[in-house]
Amino acid sequence: MERPAWAPRSIDISVPSVSRIYDYYLGGSHNFESDREAARKAMEFLPGLPKIMQANRAFLRRAVRYAVGEGITQFLDIGSGIPTFGNVHEVAQAAAPGAHVVYVDHDPVAVAHSRAVLAGNETADVVAADLRKPREILASPQVQRLIDLNRPVALLLVAILHFVEDADDPYAAVAELREALAPSSLLILSHASYEGIPLPAERAEGAVDVYKDIRNPLIMRSREDIARFFEGYDMVEPGLVPMPHWRPESAPEDEDPYAFSGFAGVGRSA
């Protein structure tokens, strides 16, 4: 497998990465054959995966615009992945020029591309760090420079928590981040679930097994378990709902059935 010039020398391009698989689903070009092979295997069981990812990105953009409308101009996007069209800094800074955005990811390709995309952007930066270590994120020079923790922040945990196993206590990590943020901060979250998938769960499990095989387990939580991440937050209307139903800009009934897989919501801290 030939190494593209943009691929950091430190990474093994024969090992699939969830962020690069996600990039492939969205039609991006920053993925390797190992990523594409894993994605195609998962799509044999769950052919609507690209539609799910597109619905997820559309939710992210609507939620960012909502946050700006609520007067929030600071965004901390953890598990941000590889920059694609309509990313957080583009949406936020189009709506509020000068909005501050910090991306966080532990995939070297995602971090490298974020740095390249953000070159010359003085109010956006990227941190190489892991959601499971909130203190390292909050203490990073990038967060210290761009995020004022005494003012409300929009914390984005979009399509990331389902890659954190219960053994790593994702609820504690989310709570620690909540405690560090000012009152009236927003939690913008989406999460995979068997609920809403227009296929029997047994078939969808085949796609989950692909992620398990590449050592990035996909944890399909119930709506009730996903709602627990919002403890300490007041839910913004319409609550925790399938992605197309969160403040839609077009008729949800026109969406692909796969777009309703999983849940999304926004909460405001007290």
Side-chain angles (χ1 to χ4, degrees):
M1 191 182 301
E2 186 176 348
R3 179 183 296 272
W6 50 262
R9 303 297 305 178
S10 58
I11 67 166
D12 183 349
I13 64 175
S14 69
V15 177
S17 148
V18 293
S19 64
R20 298 194 303 268
I21 291 172
Y22 187 73
D23 178 67
Y24 173 74
Y25 290 143
L26 290 174
S29 58
H30 297 110
N31 47 76
F32 309 127
E33 182 53 34
S34 60
D35 307 307
R36 296 188 284 274
E37 183 180 352
R40 288 190 291 264
K41 282 183 181 176
M43 288 169 65
E44 288 177 10
F45 300 98
L46 204 53
L49 277 165
K51 293 294 184 183
I52 297 171
M53 305 312 167
Q54 290 162 19
N56 187 71
R57 295 292 298 185
F59 159 71
L60 178 148
R61 292 190 288 268
R62 296 195 304 275
V64 168
R65 287 192 288 267
Y66 169 80
V68 171
E70 293 295 297
I72 293 180
T73 56
Q74 303 187 105
F75 297 83
L76 180 58
D77 183 2
I78 303 179
S80 50
I82 294 170
T84 55
F85 176 74
N87 220 24
V88 173
H89 74 282
E90 293 176 333
V91 177
Q93 292 177 350
H100 287 199
V101 178
V102 176
Y103 293 117
V104 181
D105 208 288
H106 62 45
D107 184 313
V109 170
V111 173
H113 275 285
S114 296
R115 286 189 179 130
V117 167
L118 299 174
N121 190 327
E122 295 298 319
T123 55
D125 210 338
V126 60
V127 180
D130 193 311
L131 168 62
R132 293 168 293 189
K133 299 178 180 178
R135 291 180 192 178
E136 292 183 12
I137 295 171
L138 296 168
S140 67
Q142 297 91 330
V143 169
Q144 295 287 309
R145 179 174 74 87
L146 288 174
I147 304 294
D148 180 357
L149 296 175
N150 294 310
R151 294 194 299 115
V153 175
L155 169 64
L156 292 100
L157 298 175
V158 175
I160 179 63
L161 287 163
H162 48 233
F163 291 114
V164 184
E165 297 181 83
D166 288 341
D168 290 320
D169 203 350
Y171 296 101
V174 174
E176 189 170 341
L177 289 163
R178 183 193 70 230
E179 291 301 316
L181 303 181
S184 296
S185 290
L186 297 179
L187 171 60
I188 297 171
L189 182 153
S190 64
H191 197 296
S193 176
Y194 286 122
E195 297 175 44
I197 294 178
L199 282 175
E202 298 75 30
R203 182 169 173 81
E205 280 175 10
V208 173
D209 288 341
V210 171
Y211 283 91
K212 190 183 301 180
D213 289 343
I214 65 171
R215 298 182 182 179
N216 281 287
L218 179 58
I219 313 302
M220 304 288 270
R221 295 187 172 94
S222 67
R223 185 183 183 281
E224 181 180 0
D225 286 338
I226 297 167
R228 285 179 53 205
F229 287 114
F230 286 98
E231 288 182 3
Y233 290 90
D234 294 323
M235 294 302 295
V236 169
E237 288 293 331
L240 186 61
V241 294
M243 293 175 286
H245 286 304
W246 198 88
R247 296 180 178 250
E249 294 170 351
S250 58
E253 54 267 25
D254 293 337
E255 293 281 353
D256 186 281
Y258 278 97
F260 297 87
S261 307
F263 294 97
V266 175
R268 180 180 286 104
S269 63

